[in-house]
Amino acid sequence: MKKMQKEHTTTYFLALLFLLTSFANAQNSSSIEKRKIESTHTKQLQRDTITVIDTLTTHAVSKDLSKIQIATTIKDSVVFNLEDNQQAALIDMRWRKELARMDLYDSIRQMRSVKKYKEEVSLELPTDTLKKRLAAINARTPFNVDYNPSLENVINRYLKRHKVTMEKLMAVSQFYFPMFEERLDKYDIPLEMKYLAIVESALRPRAKSRVGATGLWQFMFGTGKMFDLEVNSYVDDRMDPIAATEAACAYLSQLYKIHEDWDLALASYNSGPGNVSKAIRRSGGYKNYWNIRGNLPHETAGYVPAFLATMYIFEYAEEHGYSPEKAPVNYFATDTVHVKQTITLDQVSSIVGVPLEVVQFLNPQYKLDIIPVVKNKKYYVRLPIENVGKFVQNEQAIYAFAKAELDKREKPLPKVQTASSQIRYRVRSGDYLGKIAAKYGVRVSQIKKWNNLRSNSLKIGQRLTIYPRKPFSNTKVSSSSSKPLNATTYTVQTGDSLWKIASKFPGVSVSNIKSWNGISGTKLKPGMKLKVSK
C-alpha cells in the first residue's frame, strides 16, 4: 500500500515538473518572438528615418549636421533629437527639481481651497469688509490705499465685469511677476509696483497704444531712448521684458526723487511731471493724489484708482473666488543663450522642439521673429532651461542648418536700420506730408511744427527735419518686387509656413499674421487665404 502511494506521489511530481517546464518554454518563446517583433519595428523605424537637409553637400556643413539626429517623421512633422552633455544635463535636472518645489505650495493651496463653495462666493463686497482689507494693504505698502467711495466703485466694477480678464492676467502674471519683483527690489521700489504693468499693457509685451507707447511698460520712443532702449528694424527693446523693466525701474526711481511720493510718481509716469506740478498748483498746493485728481488729465485721473483696484483684487483673489490657471512657463525655469549667427524663432522652435508660441512668448522683442547678428551688439534667445543645454551643445550644427535654410530664401533679409533721434529728409517727386509722416511713424502736424510749415505744400529738393518714431530704410524697391508687397491677402502654397509667408512681406511677423487671421496654431492648408496687412 505504501509502495503504491509512493509511486503515485512520484508520478504527480513528474507531471507537475513537465507542466512548469512547458510553461517556461512557452514564456521564453513568447519573449523571443516579442524581441523579434521589436527588432523588426526598430529596423522599420530606422528605414523611415529621414534626412531633412538633402541639399547640403559640403564636408564642413555635413560634419556639423551629423550632430543632429533626426527621428521618425510623423504626419509630415520632423522631430530633432539633439545630443546633450550628460553631466551638464544632470546639473540642470537638479536645478529644475529646486524650481519645482513651488508645486508643494500649489498642492497645499489646492488642499485648503474648498472648490464646492466657489459658486456661493458673492461678488457683493460690503463696505465695512472693504475698509478692513484696504487698511490691511495700506499698513504694508507705501502707497496711499485708504478707503474712499471712488476707489470702492472701481473695485466693485472690476469684480462684477472683469473677472475672466483678471483671472487670465493672474495666470500670465505668474511668469512676469518674479522677474518684476527681482528688478523692483534692486531699485528699492515697492514690490506692489508690479501691478502697474497690468494697468499699462495688460502684460502684453508687444502692446502698442494709439500714440505709439510700446511694451509691458508702455515707453514712448523718446523716453525709451533716454533709458537706452534700442529700436531698429529687427529689435525693439521696449518689447524686451527684462530691458523694459530695468528702464521702468530707473524711470520710476527718478520720478520718486522728484515727487517724494509713490502715488504722484505713478501719476507722473502716466502724464509726465509737468502735468502733475500743474495739478498741484491748481489744487492750491495739495500733494495728496486724491486732492489733486480733479486737476489731472482725464486719463491720469482714472490711472491710480485702476492700479489700486488691481492691487486689491490680486491681494484678495482667493477671497473673491478667483482660480487662475497655472502658467505653462516659469521665469526662473528659463535661461538665455548668446546668438552668434542670424536665426529665426521658427527655426529655433523646430530644431529645439519648443512650440513656436512659447519661443515667441519668451522673445517678444524680435519684431520680425528673427534674431539678427550686429557688430558690437549682443542678442540672446530665451528658452526653457531644459532646452538651453541642447542648444549650446549643438549650436554649430544648428547655425549650419539655419544658414542653409536662409540661403534658400527667395530674397535676402532686410538690413538692420536703427531709428535715429533726428534726420534730414530731402523731398522727392511724388512726396506729400502724409506719405512722409507714415514712413517715419510721426504725424503731419509734428512735421509742420518741426519745420515751421504753414501749409501742406512741399517742393522737390526741400529739406525737412524729422524725429523718427520707427525704424526706416531708404532702399528703393524694384518694380518686380513691389507687387506682392502691396497685397492685402495671400494664398497659401504647398510647402508654405507662417514664417515663409511673413518673410515675403517686410514689417509683417508671424504673430501679425496669426492675429489678423485668428490663427492659434501653425498648421496651414494650401489654398487658404490669409490677410497679410491690417
Side-chain angles (χ1 to χ4, degrees), residues 328-400:
V329 186
N330 182 325
Y331 168 74
F332 290 116
T334 66
D335 202 355
T336 57
V337 180
H338 175 212
V339 173
K340 301 171 185 175
Q341 183 180 299
T342 300
I343 192 169
T344 71
L345 299 188
D346 192 38
Q347 290 171 332
V348 173
S349 168
S350 62
I351 293 173
V352 181
V354 178
L356 179 59
E357 291 78 7
V358 174
V359 178
Q360 290 172 326
F361 175 77
L362 295 176
N363 301 275
Q365 66 271 33
Y366 299 114
K367 301 190 294 183
L368 304 180
D369 286 350
I370 299 171
I371 307 175
V373 172
V374 182
K375 189 177 180 180
N376 299 324
K377 294 283 185 183
K378 286 189 175 181
Y379 294 118
Y380 300 84
V381 61
R382 181 171 291 276
L383 294 168
I385 206 166
E386 61 266 23
N387 299 100
V388 169
K390 296 175 183 177
F391 189 100
V392 173
Q393 185 75 12
N394 301 275
E395 61 181 348
Q396 293 306 317
I398 289 171
Y399 292 145

Side-chain angles (χ1 to χ4, degrees), residues 26-64:
Q27 286 289 92
N28 187 45
S29 175
S30 175
S31 178
I32 292 170
E33 186 64 27
K34 183 179 180 181
R35 284 199 296 271
K36 284 181 179 179
I37 292 170
E38 289 175 345
S39 176
T40 302
H41 182 62
T42 301
K43 289 177 180 178
Q44 182 61 41
L45 288 179
Q46 290 172 348
R47 284 196 297 270
D48 290 342
T49 300
I50 64 167
T51 303
V52 176
I53 314 163
D54 52 359
T55 58
L56 302 179
T57 56
T58 64
H59 176 70
V61 174
S62 297
K63 185 177 178 181
D64 283 333

Side-chain angles (χ1 to χ4, degrees), residues 466-534:
I466 298 175
Y467 298 87
R469 283 168 63 178
K470 72 179 184 180
F472 60 92
S473 173
N474 289 322
T475 304
K476 292 183 179 180
V477 181
S478 65
S479 59
S480 62
S481 63
S482 62
K483 190 174 181 180
L485 303 184
N486 295 326
T488 56
T489 60
Y490 177 83
T491 304
V492 176
Q493 307 296 319
T494 303
D496 271 346
S497 68
L498 287 175
W499 176 79
K500 286 181 180 178
I501 296 170
S503 67
K504 295 176 186 287
F505 302 91
V508 176
S509 67
V510 170
S511 57
N512 286 150
I513 295 176
K514 293 175 75 172
S515 174
W516 296 336
N517 294 277
I519 298 173
S520 57
T522 57
K523 291 184 178 179
L524 298 175
K525 292 181 180 179
M528 282 178 67
K529 298 284 187 181
L530 295 177
K531 293 180 183 177
V532 289
S533 67
K534 284 188 178 180

Side-chain angles (χ1 to χ4, degrees), residues 135-344:
I137 295 175
N138 195 43
R140 59 178 184 262
T141 178
F143 291 101
N144 180 14
V145 200
D146 287 335
Y147 169 83
N148 66 69
S150 296
L151 180 56
E152 181 177 27
N153 289 336
V154 176
I155 290 173
N156 281 330
R157 188 172 74 249
Y158 276 30
L159 289 171
K160 291 176 181 178
R161 303 179 187 176
H162 304 295
K163 182 173 182 180
V164 174
T165 299
M166 296 304 286
E167 277 190 336
K168 289 180 180 178
L169 289 170
M170 288 174 188
V172 179
S173 72
Q174 295 171 43
F175 176 81
Y176 287 115
F177 277 9
M179 183 267 288
F180 290 170
E181 291 172 347
E182 186 177 56
R183 263 56 182 191
L184 292 168
D185 180 64
K186 172 184 171 182
Y187 283 85
D188 199 24
I189 297 173
L191 299 188
E192 293 84 4
M193 192 66 80
K194 63 191 177 186
Y195 299 119
L196 177 60
I198 291 176
V199 177
E200 284 285 352
S201 65
L203 297 179
R204 291 173 56 210
R206 289 188 173 183
K208 181 170 284 192
S209 75
R210 57 181 177 79
V211 296
T214 301
L216 286 168
W217 299 94
Q218 291 291 279
F219 274 99
M220 295 294 289
F221 180 85
T223 312
K225 282 283 187 181
M226 289 170 52
F227 294 95
D228 300 322
L229 295 179
E230 178 194 5
V231 179
N232 63 41
S233 49
Y234 282 105
V235 183
D236 190 337
D237 281 343
R238 296 175 298 171
M239 298 180 187
D240 184 333
I242 295 178
T245 301
E246 195 82 23
C249 290
Y251 188 28
L252 286 164
S253 294
Q254 190 180 88
L255 294 174
Y256 180 73
K257 288 177 183 176
I258 294 171
H259 298 290
E260 298 182 337
D261 180 277
W262 284 115
D263 292 338
L264 296 185
L266 272 177
S268 191
Y269 188 91
N270 179 252
S271 65
N275 282 322
V276 173
S277 62
K278 289 174 191 173
I280 291 173
R281 290 188 179 93
R282 289 167 180 161
S283 303
Y286 285 111
K287 292 185 179 181
N288 181 292
Y289 169 81
W290 295 100
N291 291 332
I292 71 170
R293 180 172 176 246
N295 292 299
L296 287 168
H298 178 73
E299 181 183 346
T300 309
Y303 188 75
V304 174
F307 170 80
L308 296 176
T310 301
M311 183 193 301
Y312 169 81
I313 290 173
F314 269 70
E315 296 290 326
Y316 287 94
E318 190 171 342
E319 285 78 356
H320 287 287
Y322 286 81
S323 183
E325 295 180 5
K326 184 173 179 179
V329 186
N330 182 325
Y331 168 74
F332 290 116
T334 66
D335 202 355
T336 57
V337 180
H338 175 212
V339 173
K340 301 171 185 175
Q341 183 180 299
T342 300
I343 192 169
T344 71

